[in-house]
Amino acid sequence: MATKCENCPLRRRDLFVQFTEPEIRFMQKFKAGELIVDPGTPLLMEGSNSPQLFTALHGMGLRYKTLENGSRQVINFVFPGDFIGLQAGIMGEMQHSVEATTRMTLCVFDRSEFWNFFRNHPDRAFDITWMAAVEEHFLGEALASLGQRSALEAVAWSLCRIFLRGQALGMVDRGTMPLPFKQQDMADALGLSLVHTNKTLAKLRERQLASWSDGILQVNDVEPLAELALCSSEPPVKRPIM
Amino acid sequence: MATKCENCPLRRRDLFVQFTEPEIRFMQKFKAGELIVDPGTPLLMEGSNSPQLFTALHGMGLRYKTLENGSRQVINFVFPGDFIGLQAGIMGEMQHSVEATTRMTLCVFDRSEFWNFFRNHPDRAFDITWMAAVEEHFLGEALASLGQRSALEAVAWSLCRIFLRGQALGMVDRGTMPLPFKQQDMADALGLSLVHTNKTLAKLRERQLASWSDGILQVNDVEPLAELALCSSEPPVKRPIM
DNA sequence: CGGGCTATTGACCATAGTCAACACAGGTGG
DNA sequence: CCACCTGTGTTGACTATGGTCAATAGCCCG
């Protein structure tokens, strides 16, 4: 039933580094199974000590933290190829929650094998550290968005990053890609109110820079969007896949 | 001249996990030298491909990114024990800059040996990944600060984190510790204007929660500060040292 | 048909940004 | 020795970006 690693549909995408045959066979052994979840299902909870780690194969999700006053900070959006649970694997406990936004298919790995894996396969261990470093980089950029960009710039930045990621994943078709989140999700990601996020999205639509409605993001030309967003329009770096 | 790892003054602090004798001897081999820099010296530049990695032994610094519009986002403050250059070691290129705020003493490591190190010492490789995961955790919290906390809460959060870190490092003496940054640095860290940061600090002083002036931070009781900051007043987790 | 969820819009408000002036300390040069 | 400059911190007055509240519309689903 489960997808074989050798047939993994993700591996072929531009976004990912290509594996050698032995690497694929090894990952296959490490893979414990496959999980399909419905929209809204929590995958990992902040403070939990999950026995399982995942790689998103299909579908999208959200990482977020909840503060003591009840407000929610969305850390980022989960796309296919993302590794979920690194903190649980390394630190023993998640520092944020992850939940499925759409129906998702996930590769499942056993946390109990994680240390063995890390010890016996230094190149894969390196890949894991690499992913952690990339995540750190992303969070640094996000920090700069919340701290230094205006609402318009921040929303543009967010859509720009998402669109470039979508392109690298082959999800973009004639300038459009699915983006099945709610405006509230983006508001919580950027530290804006829902109302202001809505008005800002309207402004981008008006200026013909980006249009996001009914779960579809349309960007005709990334360049002017990236320019407003004060960010690069380069495709994201190739990443390993777990 | 250089400090011997076995005599390293940091290792004994509460903040750090204790090493075994062989581990210490091994780190000693990996250590290429010691560097002393004056205040204001850039250690690593965004986009650079430094041949050297560092551990801060003494003194404090800043990590920051500069946006295309010239504004600066301070990512975090560098304290003794922090590893500097992980991104360069892993991704080949720094995504932010690091500079010394005070005079600093740094352990220097050779980046060219990094991969060997990683391959041959899985437990230390694990430690490096652990540090990356902790950094990711910290950035998630910072994101929540900029996104969800008011200016007063954000400044309180920042001072609270710093103070707890200072305690774990044994830098706190009768409720005070050195904090040699400028208000502008904190403003750039929290995405606030200098003026508003100043007024917010005054408010905390007025309320007797925390007082930071002349490079000295004074906190008589962390609890009420942590409560306002919506964060825990637990000491930071023990970390490995490189 | 009615209830719940999301998106949209307008009116009003508040937090935080901008501008400007001043204080104070340390350093430099006449 | 003092005048002057620069960098940092402080304060007040005014402004604006973005938050809050509220009403409405559209949609899906029981």
Side-chain angles (χ1 to χ4, degrees):
Chain A
M1 209 63 241
T3 316
K4 286 252 177 14
C5 291
E6 56 180 316
N7 301 322
C8 177
L10 282 179
R11 271 184 30 240
R12 300 184 207 107
R13 302 295 183 187
D14 292 346
L15 181 56
F16 304 105
V17 298
Q18 296 307 312
F19 277 8
T20 61
E21 279 296 327
E23 279 172 330
I24 294 173
R25 278 197 302 276
F26 170 67
M27 284 313 293
Q28 181 71 63
K29 270 194 309 187
F30 187 49
K31 178 170 177 174
E34 211 163 291
L35 179 65
I36 298 185
V37 297
D38 281 330
T41 310
L43 298 174
L44 295 171
M45 293 296 288
E46 186 170 348
S48 75
N49 187 335
S50 164
Q52 307 188 315
L53 311 174
F54 310 99
T55 288
L57 268 190
H58 189 82
M60 297 183 185
L62 279 180
R63 299 180 208 262
Y64 63 91
K65 286 173 91 73
T66 308
L67 269 78
E68 301 178 27
N69 64 5
S71 66
R72 179 182 76 151
Q73 174 67 42
V74 168
I75 309 280
N76 69 13
F77 300 112
V78 175
F79 283 88
D82 282 348
F83 186 59
I84 299 169
L86 188 137
Q87 292 186 339
I90 295 289
M91 304 200 295
E93 192 173 287
M94 288 302 288
Q95 308 295 330
H96 57 251
S97 306
V98 184
E99 79 174 43
T101 299
T102 64
R103 165 176 266 253
M104 291 186 82
T105 309
L106 304 142
C107 282
V108 180
F109 306 105
D110 239 333
R111 187 158 90 88
S112 57
E113 287 191 44
F114 195 73
W115 172 239
N116 265 332
F117 179 76
F118 205 93
R119 172 199 297 281
N120 298 323
H121 296 271
D123 44 357
R124 306 265 55 213
F126 191 86
D127 282 347
I128 288 177
T129 310
W130 191 93
M131 289 193 286
V134 166
E135 190 62 17
E136 186 189 331
H137 167 218
F138 170 82
L139 290 175
E141 283 228 14
L143 212 52
S145 273
L146 302 219
Q148 314 299 327
R149 285 184 242 254
S150 68
L152 190 66
E153 290 164 352
V155 172
W157 172 80
S158 171
L159 293 179
C160 184
R161 296 301 304 247
I162 288 169
F163 190 75
L164 292 168
R165 179 74 188 265
Q167 279 187 321
L169 282 168
M171 299 172 79
V172 172
D173 175 34
R174 273 162 298 163
T176 70
M177 66 175 277
L179 189 61
F181 299 100
K182 290 178 278 188
Q183 292 186 356
Q184 183 71 63
D185 296 328
M186 175 150 300
D188 289 347
L190 298 176
L192 298 171
S193 71
L194 170 59
V195 172
H196 199 62
T197 304
N198 179 290
K199 289 173 179 169
T200 307
L201 284 166
K203 218 172 274 182
L204 286 175
R205 221 174 293 139
E206 214 171 85
R207 297 199 194 174
Q208 315 250 327
L209 290 171
S211 156
W212 176 34
S213 54
D214 302 311
I216 304 288
L217 171 63
Q218 173 158 27
V219 177
N220 292 318
D221 184 1
V222 201
E223 290 299 338
L225 184 63
E227 192 176 340
L228 169 61
L230 301 168
C231 78
S232 143
S233 57
E234 299 294 311
V237 283
K238 289 209 181 200
R239 59 173 71 197
I241 195 168
M242 272 299 124
Chain B
M1 208 63 238
T3 316
K4 285 252 178 11
C5 290
E6 56 180 316
N7 301 324
C8 176
L10 281 180
R11 271 182 33 240
R12 299 185 209 109
R13 301 296 182 185
D14 291 345
L15 182 55
F16 304 105
V17 298
Q18 296 307 311
F19 277 7
T20 62
E21 278 297 326
E23 280 173 329
I24 294 172
R25 278 198 302 277
F26 170 67
M27 284 313 294
Q28 180 71 62
K29 270 195 309 188
F30 186 49
K31 178 169 177 174
E34 210 163 291
L35 179 65
I36 298 185
V37 297
D38 281 331
T41 310
L43 297 174
L44 295 171
M45 293 296 287
E46 185 170 349
S48 75
N49 187 333
S50 163
Q52 308 189 315
L53 311 175
F54 310 99
T55 288
L57 269 189
H58 189 82
M60 297 182 185
L62 278 181
R63 299 180 209 263
Y64 64 91
K65 286 172 90 72
T66 309
L67 270 75
E68 300 177 27
N69 65 6
S71 65
R72 179 182 76 150
Q73 174 69 41
V74 168
I75 309 279
N76 68 15
F77 301 111
V78 175
F79 283 88
D82 282 346
F83 187 57
I84 299 169
L86 187 136
Q87 292 186 336
I90 294 288
M91 305 202 294
E93 192 173 285
M94 287 303 286
Q95 307 295 330
H96 57 251
S97 306
V98 185
E99 79 175 44
T101 299
T102 63
R103 164 176 266 251
M104 289 184 83
T105 309
L106 304 141
C107 281
V108 181
F109 306 105
D110 239 332
R111 187 158 89 88
S112 56
E113 286 192 46
F114 195 72
W115 172 239
N116 264 333
F117 179 75
F118 206 93
R119 173 199 297 281
N120 297 324
H121 296 272
D123 45 355
R124 305 264 57 212
F126 192 87
D127 282 346
I128 288 176
T129 310
W130 191 93
M131 288 192 286
V134 166
E135 190 63 18
E136 186 190 332
H137 167 218
F138 171 82
L139 291 175
E141 282 229 15
L143 212 51
S145 273
L146 302 218
Q148 313 299 329
R149 284 184 243 253
S150 68
L152 189 66
E153 288 164 354
V155 172
W157 172 79
S158 171
L159 292 180
C160 186
R161 297 300 305 247
I162 289 169
F163 189 75
L164 291 170
R165 179 75 189 264
Q167 279 187 320
L169 281 168
M171 298 171 78
V172 173
D173 175 34
R174 272 161 298 160
T176 70
M177 65 175 278
L179 188 62
F181 299 100
K182 290 178 276 188
Q183 293 186 354
Q184 184 70 61
D185 295 328
M186 174 150 300
D188 289 346
L190 299 177
L192 299 169
S193 69
L194 170 59
V195 173
H196 199 62
T197 303
N198 179 292
K199 288 172 179 169
T200 306
L201 284 167
K203 218 171 276 182
L204 287 174
R205 220 173 294 138
E206 213 170 84
R207 297 199 195 175
Q208 314 250 326
L209 291 171
S211 155
W212 176 34
S213 54
D214 302 311
I216 304 289
L217 171 63
Q218 173 157 29
V219 177
N220 292 318
D221 183 1
V222 201
E223 291 299 338
L225 183 63
E227 191 175 344
L228 169 62
L230 300 168
C231 77
S232 142
S233 58
E234 299 294 310
V237 284
K238 289 208 180 199
R239 57 173 70 198
I241 196 168
M242 272 297 125

